[in-house]
Amino acid sequence: QVQLVESGGGSVQAGGSLRLSCAASGYTISRYYMGWFRQTPGKERDGVACIDISGGRSSNADSVKGRFTVSRDNAKNTLYLQMNSLKPEDTAVYYCAAGDSPRWWFSLRPNDYAYWGQGTQVTVSA
């Protein structure tokens, strides 16, 4: 069974850091572009950062540029999101996703992803 499991979320003060991990099982991530998304109550799921199959190219949402870094370790079948200088507005449930469409190198659009994790809560206090 294909499965993505996020971990590393928690509660931190503004200005702090967290590192999220997404472990894949049932398949190897080396043939998938991957991304991180976040969602708050009453809001649509928004793209945060994404990365291509090899890890050579990535893209960040404007709201996190300069603060978040997405990376992947295909040998470990794991995706990461390093989050620095966290702000209260970063509070959300963060989701890992994988896509296999041949049309894209990567994407920040949720509809371009076929496989999703269950999410991990990140809470940033002022």
Side-chain angles (χ1 to χ4, degrees):
Q1 300 277 4
V2 175
Q3 186 175 28
L4 301 172
V5 180
E6 302 94 338
S7 63
S11 182
V12 299
Q13 296 183 78
S17 298
L18 285 173
R19 191 190 195 197
L20 305 184
S21 298
C22 173
S25 62
Y27 70 101
T28 176
I29 66 169
S30 63
R31 300 182 67 178
Y32 297 84
Y33 56 85
M34 301 191 72
W36 289 97
F37 298 79
R38 64 187 182 186
Q39 187 169 215
T40 55
K43 303 291 185 179
E44 295 184 348
R45 189 169 298 185
D46 293 325
V48 176
C50 57
I51 192 165
D52 70 353
I53 291 172
S54 69
R57 297 175 61 184
S58 64
S59 182
N60 289 173
D62 288 343
S63 59
V64 306
K65 286 181 178 177
R67 301 188 297 119
F68 291 11
T69 302
V70 61
S71 62
R72 64 193 296 163
D73 188 336
N74 288 345
K76 295 182 178 179
N77 227 25
T78 303
L79 177 75
Y80 302 98
L81 183 67
Q82 179 66 47
M83 304 186 295
N84 298 324
S85 301
L86 283 162
K87 304 175 180 179
E89 51 262 44
D90 295 319
T91 296
V93 176
Y94 283 71
Y95 298 89
C96 169
D100 59 359
S101 172
R103 297 184 61 186
W104 318 111
W105 288 290
F106 51 76
S107 175
L108 286 172
R109 298 187 293 267
N111 287 346
D112 291 331
Y113 289 81
Y115 311 105
W116 294 86
Q118 296 299 113
T120 185
Q121 178 70 46
V122 171
T123 302
V124 185
S125 60

